[in-house]
Amino acid sequence: MEIKLYVHGVPKGRVIWGAQENEYTYLESFYGYKTNIDVLLFVETIQKHDVSYCYYTYGRYGNILDYDNRSGGYFALTIRVDKYYADLVNMYNLLDAAYNKFIVSRIIEKNGTVLKFKVIDFKQEDSFLRKLEKEIVHYLEQFSDDSDFIPLNDFSRNHSSETKSINLLECNIPTLTAYLKKNGKIIISPFFPSSQLVDCIRNKEFEIKKVREDAQQEIAEIKREKEESVKKIELKYADINGKINKLQKEKDEANSRAEDYKNKWEKVCKEMRVSHDLKITYDDIVKAVERLAQIIPIKNPGAQAIVPELSPNSNKLEKNYLGGRLLKWKKIKWWVIIASVIWFFIAIVVLIRLLH
């Protein structure tokens, strides 16, 4: 059985210790790995030159500073075994103890939650790391039996696109062995949520989703009812508005008719005033004419001669009537000129009143 230790990280740029160049590509894949978990154990089966290996990589991420205090680094211990070591909990505990007892304070300085590299290159601690490698190999050989190491003949060489994450306390050897044979890769951490917690979270998420869907459905129903109410109000308002417009139109028409009646009434009143003025004027003229008739004497002596020339057969009534008519005509022709002048002035007065 062959067991190898590789140390890699970013003390000052990417540095790898203990590996040959043909393994650099795999080890460099841990550089820049994105995770919010500080401690991870990657278990992966890989075939190189017709030989299969299982790699166990204990990785430290989080708040790690390089030698020059630059953030974003990582540190990892990788064990390569030419068989599958099935006790993954024991492997995690072995590498975690190696990190805390050998690496911390020698290669990495710990200050609270901040980790910082104390070396520029792992070659500075070459003899120390070789000693650590022997300790790990000795432990696996002394405290494991043959049943813990399984040949890699039946393990998948094509990894699944999805990598399963397992809580350390839920590592079941038969279950994980079967999974790795089929998928070829798994990640373990004591900080991953347990399956029980995952199920609980999934159930809560389902309940939350159900409550959200019910709430959305209820909101949609309320919104629909509100929209229907708004439409009813709009229709009612439109009907009321139509009635208001109709009443306003009738009011405008009534006002227009009232204005017409008012104008007609004012015109009638004006005409009545003119008629009244004309009547007064007419009465004044009549009175004036009568006074003139009394003032002006009859000077035509031939007027009396006309009556005797009537026919002897005419009765007395006819004679008196004809004589009266002739007498009145004789009177009128003297003051007709004066009456015409008076009418002229009266017409001017009436015209001035009409214009005003």
Side-chain angles (χ1 to χ4, degrees), residues 244-258:
I244 292 173
N245 291 335
K246 182 179 179 181
L247 293 174
Q248 183 65 39
K249 184 178 179 181
E250 292 176 356
K251 177 185 175 183
D252 294 340
E253 292 176 352
N255 289 335
S256 178
R257 288 194 299 270

Side-chain angles (χ1 to χ4, degrees), residues 137-189:
V137 172
H138 176 73
Y139 177 86
L140 290 174
E141 289 176 348
Q142 292 296 319
F143 297 98
S144 302
D145 54 35
D146 293 339
S147 62
D148 292 329
F149 293 94
I150 302 173
L152 296 170
N153 299 332
D154 299 332
F155 283 76
S156 173
R157 298 177 183 179
N158 298 318
H159 295 172
S160 172
S161 58
E162 295 183 3
T163 302
K164 190 173 185 178
S165 299
I166 300 294
N167 183 277
L168 180 65
L169 299 178
E170 295 182 330
C171 287
N172 177 274
I173 292 177
T175 302
L176 294 184
T177 300
Y179 181 85
L180 278 169
K181 283 185 176 182
K182 182 179 180 180
N183 297 283
K185 185 177 181 180
I186 196 170
I187 303 176
I188 300 169
S189 176

Side-chain angles (χ1 to χ4, degrees), residues 149-329:
F149 293 94
I150 302 173
L152 296 170
N153 299 332
D154 299 332
F155 283 76
S156 173
R157 298 177 183 179
N158 298 318
H159 295 172
S160 172
S161 58
E162 295 183 3
T163 302
K164 190 173 185 178
S165 299
I166 300 294
N167 183 277
L168 180 65
L169 299 178
E170 295 182 330
C171 287
N172 177 274
I173 292 177
T175 302
L176 294 184
T177 300
Y179 181 85
L180 278 169
K181 283 185 176 182
K182 182 179 180 180
N183 297 283
K185 185 177 181 180
I186 196 170
I187 303 176
I188 300 169
S189 176
F191 302 107
F192 282 142
S194 64
S195 58
Q196 183 179 3
L197 179 59
V198 170
D199 291 340
C200 180
I201 292 173
R202 187 180 294 111
N203 292 335
K204 293 300 179 183
E205 288 178 346
F206 176 79
E207 292 177 5
I208 292 172
K209 182 180 178 182
K210 183 68 169 56
V211 171
R212 184 183 291 111
E213 290 176 351
D214 292 342
Q216 290 176 347
Q217 184 176 359
E218 185 175 355
I219 291 171
E221 182 66 20
I222 294 173
K223 184 178 179 181
R224 185 185 62 78
E225 292 177 356
K226 183 178 179 181
E227 289 176 350
E228 290 180 354
S229 300
V230 170
K231 288 181 179 179
K232 290 180 180 178
I233 293 172
E234 288 177 348
L235 292 174
K236 186 175 181 181
Y237 173 78
D239 182 59
I240 294 173
N241 192 45
K243 292 181 179 179
I244 292 173
N245 291 335
K246 182 179 179 181
L247 293 174
Q248 183 65 39
K249 184 178 179 181
E250 292 176 356
K251 177 185 175 183
D252 294 340
E253 292 176 352
N255 289 335
S256 178
R257 288 194 299 270
E259 187 68 22
D260 291 341
Y261 292 149
K262 179 182 177 183
N263 294 334
K264 290 179 180 180
W265 172 251
E266 290 178 350
K267 183 177 179 182
V268 169
C269 290
K270 187 174 181 181
E271 291 176 352
M272 290 177 66
R273 287 195 300 271
V274 172
S275 299
H276 182 265
D277 293 341
L278 289 174
K279 184 177 182 302
I280 294 173
T281 304
Y282 173 78
D283 292 341
D284 292 342
I285 292 171
V286 170
K287 291 178 181 179
V289 170
E290 290 177 352
R291 285 196 297 270
L292 287 174
Q294 293 174 0
I295 294 171
I296 299 172
I298 301 174
K299 295 182 178 181
N300 188 359
Q304 295 178 355
I306 298 174
V307 175
E309 294 177 359
L310 293 172
S311 172
N313 297 325
S314 298
N315 58 38
K316 184 177 180 180
L317 181 60
E318 289 177 346
K319 292 179 181 180
N320 291 337
Y321 174 78
L322 292 174
R325 295 286 291 178
L326 291 174
L327 179 61
K328 287 183 179 181
W329 169 250

Side-chain angles (χ1 to χ4, degrees), residues 40-84:
L40 298 169
L41 177 65
F42 300 85
V43 182
E44 190 170 3
T45 57
I46 297 176
Q47 184 178 20
K48 290 183 176 294
H49 306 294
D50 297 328
V51 179
S52 295
Y53 296 98
C54 188
Y55 290 81
Y56 303 84
T57 300
Y58 175 91
R60 279 276 176 170
Y61 294 88
N63 195 5
I64 298 181
L65 305 178
D66 71 357
Y67 188 81
D68 295 327
N69 293 319
R70 287 191 294 267
S71 61
Y74 82 99
F75 174 81
L77 297 172
T78 297
I79 297 294
R80 191 193 75 176
V81 186
D82 58 357
K83 292 183 179 181
Y84 171 63

